[in-house]
Each structure stands twice: as structure tokens, then as C-alpha cells.
Amino acid sequence: MFRTALRNVLAHKARLLMTVLAVMLGVAFVSGTLVFTNTLSNALQNSSAKGFDQVDVAVTAQPQPDVGDRIVETPDLTEALRKKSAEVPGAASAIGVVTGFTAVADKDGKLVGDGFQSQGGNYWGTDDPRYPLAEGRAPQGAGQVALDAKTAERTGYRVGDRLRLSIDGPVLTPTVSGIFRTDDGNVAAGGSLTLFDTPTAQKLFGKAGTYDEIDVKAAAGTTQSELRTALDAALPRDRVDTETGKQLADRQAEFIASSMSGLKQGLLVFAGIALFVGTFIIANTFTMLVAQRTKELALLRAVGASRRQVTRSVLIEAFVVGLVAGATGLVVGIGIGAGLRSLMGTLGASVPDGPLIVSAGTVATSFAVGVVITVLAAWLPGRRAAKIPPVAAMSSLHAKATTKSLVLRNTLGALFSAAGVATVLYATTMDGSDGQAPMGLGAGLLIIGVFILTPLLSRPLIAAAAPVLRIFGVSGLLARQNSVRNPRRTAATASALMIGLTLITGMTVMAGSLQKSIDKMASSAIRADYVVSMANGNSLSPDVEKTLTSADGVTVISPMRNALTRIDDSTESITAVNGSAFAELTDLPVDDGTFEVGGTKVVVDEDTAKSYGWKAGSAFRVAYEDGAKQRLTVSGVYRANELFRGILLDTATLAPHQDAPDDMQVMVKTSGGASDATKDRLEKALGSNPAIKVQSKQDLSDSIAQMFTLMLNMLYGLLAMAVIVAVLGVINTLAMSVFERSQEIGMLRAIGLDRRAVKRMVRLESLVISLFGGVLGIGLGVFFGWAAGELLGTEMATYELVLPWDRMAVFLLLAAGVGVLAALWPARRAARLNMLAAIKSE
């Protein structure tokens, strides 16, 4: 039986090619994902480990628990503590480390890299072992700065150039005194690193005379563990923590691996979708192969082969196909992994140097996925073939499914579909994340149910296309009849395309609805003309508000200043605003009381009020960061949204209790309203600072739309793999169908159907099947998009369902295009059949 199975694989290698390609693409996606993420993770870990070469033990401040109503600040790492660390037995040196956000502008005035990866720090002395100089010298004084070599290469800055940068608002223009090399992971990922001398860095980052960390280097002959033990004995354990360089490197490696895990899982989900779609092709292929070899299998049964042996022979064929697909998929996946790494470089995302990682796990996974998926998909056709009695097989009495099996299938499909719809509808009544799991379960059940019911659905839906097909005469009539001749085959072929379009349509509906909701939220909640914030989401300097207050054309202004407080033994974040102006800058509906912020009067959102049992007129005591307590009164309860929530009080009330106020953003209203000229005027007033964003309501919506568009395009690209696999399925089904109907096509040719009409028949059949899958996919996608939107609506009051009719029309045209393209080769093959040879074929 093993030799028979191998001979069958070689005999039908052309028909199995599409199956191999479908499985190969899925396996390639899996192996490519593993190669890419393992390579990236290894490179980042190696780069990160190099960054700890100069650190044997790191000393950090130990967070202190809050005492009563007072919020206790983390103790400072002073110069005295650094000197004490350097004098510990076994210590060779101790470096004080200062870090903070520093935005660097390129020569065109634009922010370099991602704002979250733009860092600053201090250069220790004149020869910092952490940052070897490539050019120039160490920075000295407030007018000098050192720049990392990769940023210098990207921007074209050289020693002696003036550099535009910003810490938290004001623009600084120091001179580049030196360019240094670094293994910093943020720089490797495309960010920037600027270094000042230590006193300047401490002043700029608000840490005068203190450090964020003290890095201690061990003397020769002293291990990291020994040095850490000595430091623990010498330093106050209630104020500082110590960690060896190896522990830091290991923790960083775990963090990188964890970060890569999210990316890996996301990519593997799409690989799984492609493989899931591929199972339809495999099952379809083996079903047709088994059907075409029914008499052959019957003869095997007649000469003594058991049912188990027949099933095993089909599974052996599948095993060989899966093995070949796994091997080729692994090779292609290695190429995909290398290509993705190169692509990141061309897109500006720098990746540290390192070898391409092809682990034993990746190899094993590739072969396991290829073989398991193929064997599982072929098991049912093999089992079905083995159950056919030899006599029935020889006389082809098995050709049609029994009424009992059809009733069972349709009943099962109806039950799955009903359970799926009911579960999804139930999930829409739940709140937020609570409904995600039920909705996912319902979606899975509904897709399975629709797949089972697809043979039943194919007849009425394809029949609806009959009026259009009549236009094409005999070719159209034959195409319709061929499409419904074998409903199971048509269903399996259309379902592959259905799944891809379901996901694409559902995400498109969600993205469009979210964008509309955000536009609505911005226009309804914000009356301000502009919102000013830092590019990396950090806090603004209070100087920004002062500068904007005196800017030409500014009429109303309010900062949004965050602070931590203590309320009823719990820590609560509050937001301070300009109480007299905030109502002019926002439009927050108040359901209880009035919107009055000033003195001891505050407003709170509904969720906060509910959690504390407050209503308009309620009073509560708050403890500020400095320990001072105050009694505040709730003047109103407002409806929160994604932009505004929590407790709002007046800046004048909070100011006496804050040493270093931080503004998360500043809202501005101008006399002339939002315009390009006004925006330019505000940006110039802020010194054309690359780190500060001045955004109108439209800018806010556009930036979010850009994010959605980028995400959606990425998802389209990833799902394209599933669509490609579906195209291979249509090609495979049509090609094997043409082979199966060779005698019939020969007879049609003999009675007068010309080659052009034969081609048209096959193309129309493919078009009908593809559109059938497209209609089902778009319908399910709209339903899932609506259901997920209902779930989101519990978290976003402005959520509104938007059906992207134009894009759905494009998706339907895409399905039609898939049908036309997939039919090119099978139609050509059918038209070129020799009619006499075809008539004589069995």
C-alpha cells in the first residue's frame, strides 16, 4: 500500500501541485515569521547585552510606600551616594547616570526618529567608557552636546554644527562637540541619543545634583556578585536597590523576548488563517482525486485491501505532499525572514547587525505544520473513500450523497449557525472586554455553520445569477449547471475566498466606523481651535503655556495638568485646568449639576462619581503630593469620552501644592479660528520646535485616520496571503474539474461548441463560484463588523456604524477578479482538449 500511495503521488503530481503551493505559502508564512522574530530578538538582545558591558552593578533608588495621605517621593541618588559607591571595596569606579527625553531636529527642522525613542543623557567626564568618541571631544557647558554616530550619519550633522533640540518645550541650539558610538537599543531601532555634560544634563532634566542610576565598575579580580554584596553592606538598603549587569542583561533579554512574542503571535494568527484556508483546498483536492480513482480503490478492496489500508494509502499521499510543502515552505520562509529584515532597514527602522537565526524549532515547526495540516485535511476524504463498498464503487452508485447525509449536514449547519448568531448577539449586550470571548466563540461557530450550510446556500444564490448568465447563451447555461452540479465542491472552493473577505470586510467596517466616531468626538467635545502637546506624549514645560498666552491672536487658553492625590486611602489622578476658560474650550454634557470649576469646586465624570458614590453637591477630602489636605465639592457630573475623563479642578487650586508642574497638553482658542496662517504663527511663537505638535481638530482626526489607514493596509497585506491561497484553490478546483469532465467537454465540442464557448463556460463557472464566496464573505464581514461595533459602543459614546459601500463594491470586484484570473489556465486547457481523445477518456 505504501508503494501504491507513492505511485499515486507521482501519477498525480500535476494535480497536487496547487495543494503543495497552498500549504507551502502557509508554512512559509509561519517559518518566515519565526525566522524574522528570532533574528530580530537575537540581534536586539546581543546589542542590549553590549550596553551593559560597562555596568557590573547598577544602583537605583528604591520606591517608597505612601505614608498615610502623603505621597512619598522616591529618594534621590546624590553625589555623596555615588562617591560612597566608588569607595566600596572591589569597586573600580562609579558613574552617575542621568537620562531624559530629548527631541532632535534634522537640518530641515523635522523630528528625528520616533519621539518615544529620542533620548538624552549625560557624558561622564572627558572620556566616558560607555560612549567611545568617534570624532571631536566631550561636551562642556550648556552650549555643547555630543551626538550618536548613527543619528549624525542619518542627518548629516558634523562636529561644529549647531543642533536644534528640545527637552520639554523651549528650543536649544548647542554646538555638536563630538560624535560617539553606542550599542543603545533605541538608537539601533532608529531613535537618537544626545549627551550633555553632567551638570547641564541634571539641570535640563530637572535632577539638579542627583542621578537616575549609579553604574559601578568592578575592580580586577572582583566578581559582579561580590561587588553587589559589598554595595548592599555599605549603602542604605531602605533607600536603594542593586542589580548586577548580568541580571540587567537577562531582564532586558526577557523584555525583548516578551515584546517579540506579541509581534510573533500577531503574524502567526495570519499564517494560521492562510493555513486554515489551505485546508479547504487540500480537502477539495483529495476529495476529487478519490472520486476520480473510485474504481481503482474498489479494485484494491476487491483484491483484499481493508478499509484501514485504503484510508492509510490516502494519508500516505497526504504525508508526502505535506513533507514536500513543509520543506519548500521552510526554504521560502527563510527568504521571507531575511526579506522582512531588509525591508525594515529600507523603511528607516534600523536593526542591529546579527546572523539570520534558523532554529531547530523553526525547522521542526515547518515540517510539523505542513504534514499535520495536509494529513488532517485529507483524512475525511480518505475515510469516506474507504467506506464505499467495492461493488457500489465499481458501478458508481456512490456518486450522490444520500438524503440522510444531506439532512444531517444541513441540520448540523443550521444548529452551528443559530448558536453562533445567538452567541454574537448575546455578546453585543455585554460591556467592553467582557464580551470579547463570547463574540469570538460566536464568530467561530457562525463561520463553521455557514461553511457546513454552503452547499445548501449555493443553489439559490447561484440560481439568482441565472438571468445574467442567460446573456451568454449556452456557455452561461452550462456554467450555472456545472456550478451547482457538485455543491460540496463548490462550497469548499467558495469558502476559502469567503473567509478572507469576511475578515477584510469586518476590519474595514470597524475602521471606518471608529474613524467616524473619533471625528464626531473631536468635533463635539472640543471647541478649542488647537491642542498643543509633545510629540512623544511626555509633559510640556509650563513655559509653553506662558508663551502661548502672550502669542498674537490667542483669546482663550487652558493647560491640562496632571497630578497624583490621595482620596479615601487610594491614589487618584486628577487634571487641573483653567476653570474660567475650560467651558469655552470644550463641550462636555453635564447630567447632574453644573459645569463649574474654580476654587474648591470640581467636576467629575460619571464612572468616577459612581465608584465613590458622589453626586452634585457631594464633598470629599483630597490629599495633595505635598501632604496638604483640602475639602472639595462636586459641582457637576459630566459624560466622559476618550479625550476627557476623571476629576477636573482649577490650576490655581493645585498650583500651591506642586513643585514642578507638568502640562500634558495646552488647549488654545484664537480670534481668527483654525487656519494655516494661525497654525504657522503659533508654531513660530514656540520657536518652530520639532518636539511640539500644534494640532487642530482636523489634524487630530487626520492623525488618527492615518494610524487606522496604516494598520488597515498592513492587515490587508497580511490577509493577502489568505486570498492568494484562495485563488490557488479556485484554480485547482477548476483544473481538476476540467480533467474530470474531459469526456463531457469532448462531446460538447463534437456537437458544435467551439473553443471560445468552452473557455467562456469555464470562466463563467469560476466567476459565479468566486462571486458566491464574495457575497457570503462580505455579508458575514458586515455582520461581524456591526457586532464588534456594538461592543465598542459601550466604551465609546460617539460610536456610529458606517458601511463603506465603495470599499465593499471593490471587494466584490476583487472576488470577480479572482474568478477571472483563476480561470485563465483551466479555461485554456479545456479549450485545447482533443475532442476525440477526450471522448475516449474514462
Side-chain angles (χ1 to χ4, degrees):
M1 294 302 294
F2 181 74
R3 288 196 299 270
T4 301
L6 290 181
R7 279 200 300 269
N8 282 327
V9 171
L10 294 175
H12 303 117
K13 53 182 177 292
R15 303 182 217 174
L16 291 170
L17 177 62
M18 293 299 174
T19 300
V20 171
L21 285 174
V23 181
M24 181 204 75
L25 285 173
V27 172
F29 208 155
V30 172
S31 59
T33 295
L34 295 176
V35 169
F36 171 65
T37 52
N38 289 342
T39 298
L40 187 59
S41 178
N42 180 73
L44 290 173
Q45 286 176 11
N46 289 341
S47 175
S48 174
K50 290 179 183 177
F52 295 111
D53 285 348
Q54 299 299 322
V55 183
D56 286 319
V57 178
V59 180
T60 55
Q62 187 179 100
Q64 303 294 301
D66 295 343
V67 179
D69 288 333
R70 183 181 177 84
I71 298 174
V72 180
E73 295 183 356
T74 301
D76 294 328
L77 299 180
T78 61
E79 174 62 15
L81 202 62
R82 186 199 67 79
K83 289 181 178 178
K84 191 172 183 179
S85 300
E87 294 168 357
V88 167
S93 62
I95 294 175
V97 179
V98 184
T99 58
F101 169 70
T102 304
V104 175
D106 60 20
K107 293 190 174 181
D108 295 326
K110 296 180 180 178
L111 181 66
V112 174
D114 190 335
F116 294 95
Q117 296 169 328
S118 301
Q119 297 295 318
N122 66 312
Y123 193 94
W124 189 257
T126 58
D127 187 19
D128 193 328
R130 300 171 299 167
Y131 307 112
L133 288 168
E135 298 178 44
R137 56 183 178 78
Q140 296 179 356
Q144 293 185 358
V145 69
L147 185 65
D148 72 88
K150 290 188 177 179
T151 300
E153 182 182 351
R154 288 196 299 265
T155 59
Y157 282 118
R158 296 288 180 266
V159 173
D161 290 348
R162 301 285 285 187
L163 184 68
R164 287 175 60 82
L165 57 84
S166 172
I167 305 299
D168 60 358
V171 176
L172 306 175
T173 56
T175 301
V176 178
S177 66
I179 294 174
F180 60 89
R181 294 186 294 272
T182 178
D183 293 311
D184 188 283
N186 284 323
V187 174
S192 63
L193 179 61
T194 48
L195 302 177
F196 308 88
D197 68 3
T198 299
T200 302
Q202 290 174 324
K203 180 180 178 182
L204 289 174
F205 300 133
K207 298 158 186 171
T210 64
Y211 305 103
D212 293 302
E213 182 177 302
I214 297 172
D215 291 344
V216 186
K217 186 72 176 173
T222 303
T223 66
Q224 291 185 350
S225 298
E226 291 170 345
L227 178 58
R228 184 187 182 189
T229 301
L231 285 167
D232 286 342
L235 302 180
R237 295 299 309 276
D238 60 333
R239 293 183 57 206
V240 300
D241 287 326
T242 58
E243 209 168 1
T244 65
K246 185 179 184 307
Q247 289 174 323
L248 288 170
D250 290 344
R251 183 152 54 84
Q252 185 69 10
E254 289 178 9
F255 174 76
I256 292 171
S258 175
S259 301
M260 288 295 104
S261 175
L263 174 63
K264 183 187 295 184
Q265 289 175 5
L267 291 174
L268 288 176
V269 165
F270 290 95
I273 292 169
L275 286 168
F276 182 61
V277 172
T279 58
F280 292 104
I281 301 173
I282 301 165
N284 228 6
T285 301
F286 278 93
T287 298
M288 296 174 73
L289 282 175
V290 167
Q292 291 167 12
R293 290 161 38 208
T294 301
K295 291 185 178 181
E296 173 191 327
L297 295 175
L299 283 172
L300 289 174
R301 291 288 311 281
V303 298
S306 66
R307 287 185 177 183
R308 184 172 296 177
Q309 285 178 313
V310 170
T311 303
R312 192 181 302 143
S313 70
V314 176
L315 295 182
I316 290 171
E317 293 178 43
F319 177 82
V320 174
V321 170
L323 205 62
V324 173
T328 53
L330 174 63
V331 174
V332 174
I334 293 172
I336 289 174
L340 285 174
R341 178 177 172 174
S342 300
L343 180 63
M344 287 188 68
T346 58
L347 293 177
S350 301
V351 180
D353 294 332
L356 199 66
I357 304 299
V358 184
S359 66
T362 300
V363 175
T365 300
S366 299
F367 280 103
V369 167
V371 170
V372 170
I373 292 293
T374 310
V375 169
L376 285 178
W379 175 76
L380 191 58
R383 184 171 176 271
R384 190 183 298 129
K387 291 175 69 176
I388 301 170
V391 175
M394 293 294 287
S395 58
S396 298
L397 295 176
H398 67 288
K400 292 185 178 180
T402 64
T403 303
K404 181 180 177 181
S405 68
L406 291 175
V407 170
L408 179 63
R409 179 183 181 120
N410 294 337
T411 303
L412 193 63
L415 289 174
F416 269 96
S417 299
V421 170
T423 307
V424 169
L425 292 177
Y426 170 70
T428 60
T429 64
M430 303 175 73
D431 292 332
S433 58
D434 293 339
Q436 291 179 5
M439 185 162 291
L441 174 62
L445 290 173
L446 181 54
I447 288 177
I448 293 171
V450 171
F451 168 65
I452 296 173
L453 285 175
T454 306
L456 178 66
L457 298 172
S458 64
R459 290 187 179 276
L461 288 178
I462 291 177
V468 178
L469 292 175
R470 287 197 192 102
I471 299 172
F472 300 95
V474 175
S475 297
L477 176 63
L478 291 172
R480 188 180 75 81
Q481 291 175 346
N482 290 333
S483 300
V484 296
R485 175 184 295 183
N486 192 330
R488 289 186 177 184
R489 183 190 305 167
T490 298
T493 306
S495 295
L497 190 58
M498 177 192 77
I499 292 170
L501 286 179
T502 296
L503 295 169
I504 290 173
T505 305
M507 289 187 301
T508 303
V509 170
M510 284 285 297
S513 301
L514 280 172
Q515 181 56 45
K516 178 70 174 179
S517 305
I518 290 166
D519 287 345
K520 188 177 178 180
M521 182 191 302
S523 61
S524 62
I526 300 177
R527 290 177 178 171
D529 294 322
Y530 293 99
V531 176
V532 180
S533 60
M534 291 291 286
N536 69 331
N538 279 3
S539 57
L540 288 162
S541 165
D543 293 338
V544 172
E545 183 200 356
K546 295 175 183 176
T547 302
L548 290 172
T549 301
S550 59
D552 183 31
V554 174
T555 57
V556 184
I557 189 169
S558 173
M560 293 188 67
R561 187 170 297 166
N562 289 351
L564 291 177
T565 62
R566 298 280 294 181
I567 301 174
D568 293 347
D569 298 326
S570 62
T571 302
E572 188 75 43
S573 177
I574 61 175
T575 303
V577 299
N578 184 344
S580 61
F582 199 67
E584 296 182 56
L585 298 167
T586 60
D587 186 12
L588 299 176
V590 177
D591 295 328
D592 183 20
T594 59
F595 196 96
E596 185 179 355
V597 179
T600 59
K601 292 185 176 181
V602 301
V603 294
V604 300
D605 70 302
E606 291 174 325
D607 289 340
T608 304
K610 184 178 179 180
S611 65
Y612 285 103
W614 296 338
K615 60 183 180 179
S618 297
F620 62 94
R621 290 182 66 80
V622 61
Y624 298 107
E625 295 176 14
D626 61 352
K629 299 178 182 179
Q630 190 173 29
R631 186 180 179 83
L632 301 176
T633 303
V634 177
S635 64
V637 178
Y638 68 92
R639 270 179 268 162
N641 55 46
E642 297 303 309
L643 302 176
F644 305 105
R645 62 178 63 247
I647 302 172
L648 304 179
L649 82 164
D650 193 65
T651 50
T653 305
L654 178 66
H657 308 290
Q658 279 190 310
D659 294 331
D662 292 329
D663 294 341
M664 294 310 297
Q665 59 187 36
V666 177
M667 305 182 72
V668 179
K669 197 172 184 64
T670 59
S671 57
S675 67
D676 292 340
T678 304
K679 183 176 180 180
D680 289 342
R681 190 163 62 246
L682 292 177
E683 289 177 341
K684 287 178 180 177
L686 293 170
S688 299
N689 194 324
I692 297 179
K693 296 188 295 185
V694 179
Q695 294 178 295
S696 65
K697 288 187 285 187
Q698 188 59 50
D699 292 334
L700 286 170
S701 295
D702 290 345
S703 64
I704 296 171
Q706 185 177 10
M707 179 182 66
F708 277 128
T709 301
L710 177 62
M711 187 181 303
L712 202 58
N713 288 339
M714 289 176 61
L715 293 175
Y716 284 162
L718 292 170
L719 285 173
M721 183 71 72
V723 176
I724 291 171
V725 173
V727 172
L728 292 175
V730 178
I731 296 173
N732 202 29
T733 300
L734 288 174
M736 297 186 73
S737 179
V738 166
F739 179 84
E740 187 181 85
R741 303 192 326 247
S742 295
Q743 190 177 54
E744 174 189 320
I745 293 171
M747 289 295 295
L748 290 171
R749 289 290 314 283
I751 62 175
L753 196 68
D754 60 18
R755 289 186 174 182
R756 183 176 297 178
V758 170
K759 283 185 181 180
R760 191 182 303 124
M761 175 188 71
V762 176
R763 288 170 183 165
L764 288 173
E765 180 183 346
S766 175
L767 184 63
V768 167
I769 293 173
S770 297
L771 286 175
F772 170 54
V775 169
L776 286 180
I778 292 172
L780 284 173
V782 169
F783 176 70
F784 291 141
W786 166 81
E790 289 294 302
L791 203 60
L792 272 176
T794 61
E795 302 287 334
M796 185 180 291
T798 56
Y799 185 84
E800 178 182 340
L801 179 66
V802 175
L803 294 181
W805 296 105
D806 53 343
R807 292 209 177 191
M808 288 193 291
V810 170
F811 297 155
L812 200 58
L813 289 174
L814 173 66
V818 166
V820 172
L821 290 174
L824 290 178
W825 178 63
R828 178 186 170 93
R829 186 171 183 271
R832 296 180 64 183
L833 283 175
N834 183 289
M835 68 178 74
L836 294 178
I839 291 171
K840 290 189 295 182
S841 66
E842 294 187 4

